[in-house]
Amino acid sequence: MPYNPDMNILIIGNGGREHAFAWKIRQSPLCTNLYVAPGNAGTSLIAENVNVGVEDFEKIKVLCLQKKIALVVVGPEVPLVAGFRDFFENDPSINKIPIVGPGKEGAQLEGSKDFSKQFMLRHNVPTAKARTFHSHETKEALQYLQTCTPPIVLKADGLAAGKGVIISPSIAEAKQEITEMLEQKKFGDASAKVLVEEFLDGIELSVFVLTDGENYVILPEAKDYKRIGDGDTGPNTGGMGAVSPVIFADPSFMKKVEDRVIKPTVEGLKKEGISYRGFIFVGLMNVKGEPYVIEYNARMGDPETEVVLPRMENDLVELLDAAAKGELKGHKISIRNEFAVTVVLASGGYPDAFEKGKVITGFLPEGQSTLFHSGTKNQDDKVVTNGGRVMTATGMGNTLSKAMEKAYQLASSIQWDGIYYRKDIGQDLLKLESTNQG
Ligand code: AMP
Ligand code: GLY
């Protein structure tokens, strides 16, 4: 990329994902000033936090003009689905600023499960069979459920902060659930449409693609741990830990993913005239060695980013800038041959009610470690908890068990009243590894 004497970068968001982006971007000699809106206590150690909300497009515009921002990286899905890019593209004073993140139309891959299902079907991307029902079709939905074999997967069409998927063990329960979703608007407008989907039995993993709409690069894959409790028990969360690489994502599996999923997805967007510059997070189920898509997201994952970025040797700014400008052709991903494991440190009670404002102790205030903050904020001269998922501790190592040890070492150095984390992140893959070798 051409020499740019003053490259000011703005990251939108306040999670561990955004802290990891800030950490990796800071390592690039191309970045001059780094801003995060609104950021957290962790990002304040390595960048300038600006107290502007992720959906306050007018204020973000003013910020971009004031700080002469040359690249915007949008972390979360909400502003993308709300039309972040479209807002910029429609305003001549900011429409030249390169943005990482798709427009409203492309973000529908995540914003509407019905849209993404139809998109997959149009482009022959392998996925579970599904039927969509609208709020006036409860009767038809109940009849259809009668013909399904449990477990039955119900998905609210719209964004529901990761809570819109219900897996019912029986037809009776599925009927109850779908009635609540369609008629009592269990997830508000997000469940005005509901998909009834076939259950896929397999192991999940996520693959991340950065595309400029024509070309793409594939980032390291990761496995997320969604349930709150050890041994994958209890309610779903935003993710309680992640591991990369994923042992069963061997070259032959990844080739299937690229040929059957990634290529048709990127080509499909292009054919449909959807200009897509940003990340595509592909949630996959490995069913007996065959990949099926369970969801697309229009962004990177959290906590997956906290294991994906530490494994990348590339200058991230170079890649992001190229994707945002449509110049990704020829770029290659260089991956560190090491394992990364991240453990999410959460507030006691999460994902249900929890208390905030607990004083956190034990971390290195210089911010040079791979301890990424999510729900934290500075209060007086202390750092306090400010969310359900508070921090993620990433460890790296030549083996999976070494990386797990490092992550847990880092996790155990942190304290606050009520801290909770899973103790088994990576254990299942460790077992899989020993089975494969033995
Ligand atoms: P999603 O929000 O689409 O990622 O769904 C949340 C979780 O539900 C996924 O991570 C899977 O564990 C599970 N899930 C979604 N769709 C299916 C499916 N068709 N079969 C089995 N599990 C599923
Ligand atoms: N960890 C799952 C997600 O970011 O959607």
Side-chain angles (χ1 to χ4, degrees):
M1 86 186 249
Y3 176 67
N4 184 341
D6 198 14
M7 186 162 191
N8 295 339
I9 302 175
L10 171 64
I11 301 173
I12 304 293
N14 63 351
R17 168 183 49 214
E18 287 75 23
H19 188 180
F21 269 119
W23 168 84
K24 185 75 177 154
I25 286 173
R26 260 282 164 243
Q27 294 166 20
S28 166
L30 298 169
C31 174
T32 315
N33 295 304
L34 181 61
Y35 302 91
V36 188
N40 57 39
T43 59
S44 76
L45 299 171
I46 53 174
E48 187 180 322
N49 283 353
V50 187
N51 192 15
V52 169
V54 301
E55 283 189 276
D56 198 339
F57 297 166
E58 286 293 344
K59 284 202 181 134
I60 293 171
K61 166 184 165 179
V62 172
L63 177 65
C64 285
L65 293 171
Q66 264 174 2
K67 304 289 186 191
K68 298 191 171 59
I69 297 298
L71 180 66
V72 183
V73 183
V74 185
E77 65 278 16
V78 170
L80 293 170
V81 172
F84 189 99
R85 172 180 285 276
D86 311 68
F87 176 87
F88 270 62
E89 285 179 348
N90 291 327
D91 185 329
S93 69
I94 46 173
N95 68 1
K96 298 278 186 303
I97 301 176
I99 298 173
V100 179
K104 203 170 184 164
E105 234 186 329
Q108 285 299 94
L109 280 188
E110 174 164 6
S112 165
K113 299 222 185 256
D114 183 38
F115 174 89
S116 69
K117 184 64 70 177
Q118 303 313 324
F119 178 89
M120 288 184 246
L121 295 176
R122 281 196 294 279
H123 301 288
N124 287 319
V125 174
T127 184
K129 288 195 193 72
R131 264 191 66 177
T132 303
F133 296 94
H134 295 247
S135 48
H136 60 273
E137 294 173 315
T138 315
K139 205 173 122 214
E140 291 82 348
L142 295 178
Q143 273 168 4
Y144 178 70
L145 283 176
Q146 205 57 49
T147 69
C148 296
T149 314
I152 299 166
V153 182
L154 303 176
K155 293 187 173 179
D157 174 59
L159 290 185
K163 298 205 173 91
V165 176
I166 289 168
I167 300 181
S168 289
S170 69
I171 292 178
E173 198 188 298
K175 284 181 168 176
Q176 170 79 24
E177 287 288 356
I178 205 164
T179 308
E180 284 175 21
M181 287 166 95
L182 288 174
E183 292 195 344
Q184 287 137 38
K185 294 211 163 177
K186 182 170 180 171
F187 299 108
D189 285 342
S191 63
K193 271 196 247 176
V194 174
L195 277 72
V196 179
E197 190 168 296
E198 170 195 32
F199 179 81
L200 297 171
D201 197 3
I203 319 183
E204 276 181 76
L205 79 156
S206 304
V207 172
F208 307 94
V209 179
L210 177 65
T211 180
D212 64 3
E214 293 277 339
N215 313 283
Y216 62 84
V217 288
I218 304 174
L219 276 44
E221 77 286 352
K223 182 180 188 290
D224 182 18
Y225 294 76
K226 284 207 164 73
R227 304 292 199 93
I228 188 73
D230 285 4
D232 293 330
T233 52
N236 260 327
T237 69
M240 293 302 293
V243 174
S244 178
V246 181
I247 177 175
F248 57 83
D250 56 27
S252 90
F253 181 78
M254 289 306 286
K255 180 156 185 353
K256 288 180 193 170
V257 172
E258 181 165 10
D259 291 346
R260 297 179 199 171
V261 177
I262 297 173
K263 279 185 187 152
T265 299
V266 173
E267 276 162 22
L269 287 165
K270 204 172 125 183
K271 271 187 210 147
E272 297 193 13
I274 301 174
S275 151
Y276 196 111
R277 291 182 179 178
F279 291 100
I280 308 175
F281 162 152
V282 191
L284 293 166
M285 193 70 89
N286 173 347
V287 184
K288 299 193 180 87
E290 305 302 317
Y292 289 83
V293 176
I294 47 180
E295 64 166 347
Y296 290 117
N297 293 315
R299 54 173 172 86
M300 282 298 290
D302 195 351
E304 292 90 333
T305 306
E306 292 93 301
V307 290
V308 170
L309 296 187
R311 291 195 62 224
M312 288 173 61
E313 282 172 343
N314 301 71
D315 182 324
L316 186 65
V317 174
E318 223 172 272
L319 281 177
L320 295 173
D321 190 61
K325 290 179 177 159
E327 296 167 359
L328 207 49
K329 193 174 180 155
H331 284 267
K332 295 255 176 317
I333 294 291
S334 168
I335 302 177
R336 210 182 295 278
N337 192 16
E338 269 186 85
F339 285 81
V341 171
T342 204
V343 178
V344 173
L345 314 180
S347 296
Y350 174 79
D352 299 322
F354 55 84
E355 288 176 17
K356 294 184 186 177
K358 308 285 184 193
V359 176
I360 306 169
T361 55
F363 62 93
L364 301 167
E366 297 81 15
Q368 71 271 58
S369 79
T370 45
L371 177 72
F372 301 110
H373 293 221
S374 338
T376 67
K377 68 171 184 183
N378 293 309
Q379 192 169 288
D380 305 324
D381 55 348
K382 298 191 171 65
V383 177
V384 300
T385 65
N386 192 38
R389 294 190 297 167
V390 176
M391 289 179 160
T392 61
T394 299
M396 306 278 298
N398 291 331
T399 62
L400 176 55
S401 58
K402 194 82 205 153
M404 286 162 67
E405 201 183 305
K406 284 274 178 57
Y408 277 104
Q409 240 168 33
L410 188 55
S412 66
S413 70
I414 310 300
Q415 295 98 33
W416 72 80
D417 180 24
I419 184 172
Y420 167 80
Y421 52 91
R422 274 181 68 161
K423 304 290 186 296
D424 67 338
I425 303 302
Q427 287 291 352
D428 55 336
L429 295 179
L430 212 54
K431 278 186 205 131
L432 216 60
E433 200 175 23
S434 60
T435 321
N436 278 13
Q437 281 162 3

